[in-house]
């Protein structure tokens, strides 16, 4: 149901993209944005869950 994406998986794919495209910084920047979006979304969801648990 859920797919887990870890930092190591993201870095591994980053290295593959860097070696195939010969671009150094752009894949790192994209991976950084993807990781930020994932962690920010999860933190917001966890805050909502915590509020609901505290109100019960």
């Amino acid at each position: 149901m859920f797919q887990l994406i870890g930092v190591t998986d993201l870095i591994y794919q980053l290295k593959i993209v860097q070696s195939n495209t010969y671009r150094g910084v752009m894949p790192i920047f994209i991976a950084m944005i993807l990781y930020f979006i994932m962690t920010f979304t999860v933190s917001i969801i966890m805050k909502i869950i915590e509020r609901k648990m505290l109100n019960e």
Side-chain angles (χ1 to χ4, degrees):
M1 183 174 172
F2 290 105
Q3 187 74 23
L4 294 176
I5 299 174
V7 174
T8 55
D9 299 326
L10 203 56
I11 301 260
Y12 177 74
Q13 294 299 322
L14 165 78
K15 297 289 183 186
I16 290 173
V17 170
Q18 281 180 327
S19 66
N20 288 340
T21 62
Y22 302 109
R23 294 181 185 219
V25 178
M26 189 55 87
I28 295 171
F29 183 71
I30 292 171
M32 182 177 61
I33 290 173
L34 285 173
Y35 188 72
F36 174 75
I37 290 170
M38 289 187 298
T39 55
F40 188 72
T41 304
V42 169
S43 68
I44 289 174
I45 291 170
M46 292 305 294
K47 283 181 186 178
I48 292 170
I49 291 172
E50 283 180 15
R51 284 186 197 141
K52 286 185 179 181
M53 290 178 70
L54 289 175
N55 290 336
E56 290 183 2

